[in-house]
Amino acid sequence: MNLNSERTPTSSKNSCSIEIKKILVAVSGGPDSLALLHFIVRFFPLQNIAAVHVNHQLRAESLDEETLVHDSCQTLGVDLFSRTIDVKAIAAERKKGIEEAARYVRYQCFEEVMQEAGIDQVVTAHHADDQVETIMMRLVRGSFSSGWSGIAPVRKLGAGQVIRPFLTASKSDILAYCQRQDIQFALDDTNEETIFTRNRLRKKVIPLLKAENPSLASQITRFAEETREDFTFLDEQAGELFEACAELENGGARLDLVLLKKAGIPLQRRVIHLLLNYLYKNETSYVSTQHIKQILLCIQGKNPSAVLQLPQSLQVRRSYEEMHFFFGETPVNREFYHALDVNERIHLENDMEIKLKAKSSVVQTAGLNGIILNQADVTLPLIIRNRMTGDRMTLKGTTGTKKSEGYLDRCESAAPFARCGTDYYGLYREHLVDTRRQTFRICNLTKSRTKTIYYSVYPKFRRK
């Protein structure tokens, strides 16, 4: 946005437009926000403008700044909504840093005032130098790659949006504008204290970069815009992949790793990021690049039953080609894998015994509690294991195949073994496969379509 313009501001590639309707201006009392307020008053109908000020009660000068904002709004004829919040108490309650808590409080107040005043857009005075500092901070701290695009010109806030029309203007442009318009403002002395990372970067690092390239702010603005466009495209692709491979359930989630691993690592990374944001309810402080890296290594690794422990008791467990996310010690299906040959038997943890017998004239099949397999269709040994993503079944009377996962989930309530041994799994979730990975169901609900009898499998329940 050009502060020297005498025309109503419009959108450009690196900025944003403000619709000519009610506008809420966030005003702290500093040069940036008061310049923004004056600029908005110059170009928009006065009856459409209101201001909001949040007194954080962090400094002795806070009351003086509130008075300055009140007087400025009164002089300009702008309605003011003022809020006073004990940020230190909020920080202690939420166990957050002062800066993070102050930002949380500000935007919460903005949203409340927007609802109260019937306004759906709030404008803030973030500028190009803020953009440089923000991107530098995120790079230094190792933020997720989407953070490299910096401060967005427009973002959602509740039912409305936040607009930052000054993102292409430098700090020096704003100070020059204040001088030309004779705008009185307050200065925050804490901006000079180098105990804060942002201040150290502003005072010690960024001057060195500007000495190398005086156009640093405009270059970073271009970088942020191009990066945002690239990441927006990737995020859209990741959203579609998320819908396809993630199943949200009871406060947790399940990932289909077969589908996920078909995508490139950048999309996998974003799907995991989306999922963690959902599980942590967008509390981004719990999500780090290191956590995402650990999950990716778990997905790509050879261990089919790896376990990860994440913050807030979030458990991540891989089960072959599925990955489960849940809080606390919620049980998930325990992995098992058994080989079974003729005349052998195995015992499962739910007190079930499974035997494989060769069919003979003395073997009775009436009321068989199992399945009957054709010798020609089976390669020994048979494997009894967990259901796995990608398993398919051929149903009796059909010629095609179905994903066993979806079919058995629909049939679950009718499965005769569903009520037995469900501490970790019910038998309806187990699969019997041969060494060629042909899949059968150990249940009389569905059978192989072959009618020739040779091998038979007899599941028997033994009660303790």
Side-chain angles (χ1 to χ4, degrees):
M1 182 171 286
N2 184 2
L3 291 175
N4 296 316
S5 174
E6 294 300 326
R7 299 164 54 187
T8 302
T10 57
S11 62
S12 66
K13 181 178 176 62
N14 291 314
S15 65
C16 49
S17 61
I18 304 170
E19 294 185 38
I20 303 178
K21 54 183 180 179
K22 287 187 176 181
I23 304 166
L24 184 65
V25 185
V27 186
S28 66
D32 310 334
S33 61
L34 281 169
L36 176 62
L37 179 63
H38 280 72
F39 191 81
I40 294 295
V41 168
R42 286 178 63 196
F43 292 107
F44 293 89
L46 194 59
Q47 66 271 20
N48 287 358
I49 304 170
V52 57
H53 173 78
V54 180
N55 181 344
H56 300 90
Q57 293 186 306
L58 292 174
R59 299 161 38 248
E61 298 82 6
S62 295
L63 188 57
D64 294 337
E65 292 167 354
E66 183 178 350
T67 301
L68 173 62
V69 172
H70 177 273
D71 293 346
S72 299
C73 288
Q74 193 170 50
T75 299
L76 294 169
V78 173
D79 292 335
L80 174 65
F81 296 86
S82 188
R83 298 287 187 271
T84 300
I85 307 291
D86 186 348
V87 169
K88 288 183 179 178
I90 298 293
E93 178 186 332
R94 296 177 60 84
K95 298 180 181 179
K96 304 292 184 185
I98 292 295
E99 287 182 288
E100 185 179 352
R103 184 181 185 279
Y104 166 79
V105 163
R106 275 197 304 277
Y107 282 92
Q108 187 179 56
C109 288
F110 295 167
E111 187 173 356
E112 290 173 357
V113 171
M114 289 166 71
Q115 292 176 346
E116 178 184 337
I119 300 174
D120 62 6
Q121 54 183 352
V122 57
V123 294
T124 66
H126 294 91
H127 49 76
D129 292 68
D130 290 328
Q131 186 74 286
V132 173
E133 295 166 11
T134 298
I135 291 175
M136 292 296 298
M137 282 180 63
R138 292 176 179 176
L139 289 172
V140 169
R141 289 178 174 176
S143 298
F144 186 69
S145 57
S146 59
W148 305 346
S149 57
I151 304 169
V154 180
R155 76 167 180 86
K156 290 183 179 180
L157 179 63
Q161 60 183 359
V162 180
I163 302 174
R164 285 125 176 182
F166 275 8
L167 271 183
T168 56
S170 68
K171 181 74 170 186
S172 58
D173 292 336
I174 293 171
L175 292 174
Y177 180 83
C178 288
Q179 186 174 15
R180 290 198 306 272
Q181 300 295 324
D182 194 25
I183 299 171
Q184 302 300 309
F185 54 80
L187 291 174
D188 184 350
D189 292 339
T190 61
N191 287 333
E192 302 301 314
E193 297 176 1
T194 55
I195 60 172
F196 300 110
T197 304
R198 182 180 290 272
N199 292 355
R200 287 197 299 275
L201 290 172
R202 182 190 308 125
K203 296 181 70 66
K204 297 183 178 181
V205 177
I206 293 176
L208 296 176
L209 298 176
K210 285 184 175 179
E212 294 294 327
N213 184 357
S215 301
L216 177 69
S218 62
Q219 293 297 326
I220 292 293
T221 298
R222 178 187 59 79
F223 167 80
E225 180 65 25
E226 293 177 356
T227 302
R228 187 176 304 109
E229 290 173 350
D230 292 347
F231 287 171
T232 297
F233 172 77
L234 287 172
D235 289 343
E236 289 173 354
Q237 300 294 309
E240 294 176 4
L241 180 59
F242 181 87
E243 291 293 327
C245 70
E247 179 182 334
L248 307 178
E249 49 188 10
N250 301 322
R254 181 182 64 83
L255 277 182
D256 180 339
L257 301 187
V258 173
L259 281 176
L260 186 66
K261 288 194 287 189
K262 289 179 180 178
I265 295 297
L267 290 183
Q268 292 183 33
R269 188 183 297 117
R270 279 167 170 75
V271 167
I272 295 168
H273 192 250
L274 282 172
L275 182 55
L276 292 181
N277 277 341
Y278 164 80
L279 294 172
Y280 284 125
K281 303 185 187 305
N282 291 317
E283 286 284 351
T284 55
S285 59
Y286 295 133
V287 182
S288 74
T289 53
Q290 187 60 32
H291 297 144
I292 294 172
K293 181 179 179 181
Q294 289 175 343
I295 295 172
L296 279 174
L297 290 174
C298 183
I299 291 171
Q300 303 299 332
K302 295 181 179 180
N303 185 351
S305 56
V307 179
L308 296 174
Q309 308 286 334
L310 298 187
Q312 299 297 300
S313 300
L314 179 62
Q315 313 284 319
V316 181
R317 292 187 181 180
R318 179 177 170 184
S319 177
Y320 294 96
E321 294 305 312
E322 293 183 347
M323 181 168 277
H324 299 266
F325 297 74
F326 57 92
F327 288 96
E329 295 300 325
T330 304
V332 295
N333 289 358
R334 186 168 295 179
E335 295 80 15
F336 56 94
Y337 185 96
H338 302 283
L340 190 64
D341 219 318
V342 178
N343 295 324
E344 292 183 346
R345 69 182 67 193
I346 61 170
H347 298 276
L348 302 180
E349 294 182 31
N350 58 358
D351 285 336
M352 178 173 286
E353 179 184 84
I354 301 179
K355 297 190 293 184
L356 176 62
K357 296 184 68 175
K359 175 71 174 72
S360 68
S361 58
V362 298
V363 175
Q364 297 299 315
T365 58
L368 174 66
N369 198 12
I371 62 173
I372 302 172
L373 309 177
N374 183 4
Q375 180 186 24
D377 290 338
V378 175
T379 301
L380 297 179
L382 298 179
I383 305 300
I384 298 176
R385 58 157 171 78
N386 296 78
R387 187 178 71 188
M388 292 174 58
T389 300
D391 285 338
R392 302 188 69 86
M393 300 178 68
T394 299
L395 305 181
K396 182 179 179 181
T398 67
T399 56
T401 62
K402 286 183 176 291
K403 287 185 178 180
S404 57
E405 176 181 3
Y407 184 81
L408 297 184
D409 284 342
R410 289 193 298 274
C411 297
E412 186 170 301
S413 61
F417 305 145
R419 65 184 183 277
C420 305
T422 56
D423 287 346
Y424 298 103
Y425 45 78
L427 192 57
Y428 56 86
R429 288 194 179 277
E430 295 173 29
H431 275 60
L432 173 66
V433 299
D434 66 7
T435 53
R436 296 172 301 177
R437 277 206 70 178
Q438 180 172 349
T439 305
F440 304 92
R441 177 107 179 277
I442 312 178
C443 177
N444 60 11
L445 180 65
T446 59
K447 303 177 182 177
S448 169
R449 68 172 182 264
T450 304
K451 296 180 180 179
T452 306
I453 297 174
Y454 192 82
Y455 295 126
S456 60
V457 181
Y458 291 83
K460 294 173 62 177
F461 294 101
R462 294 187 295 107
R463 303 284 184 180
K464 287 185 177 180

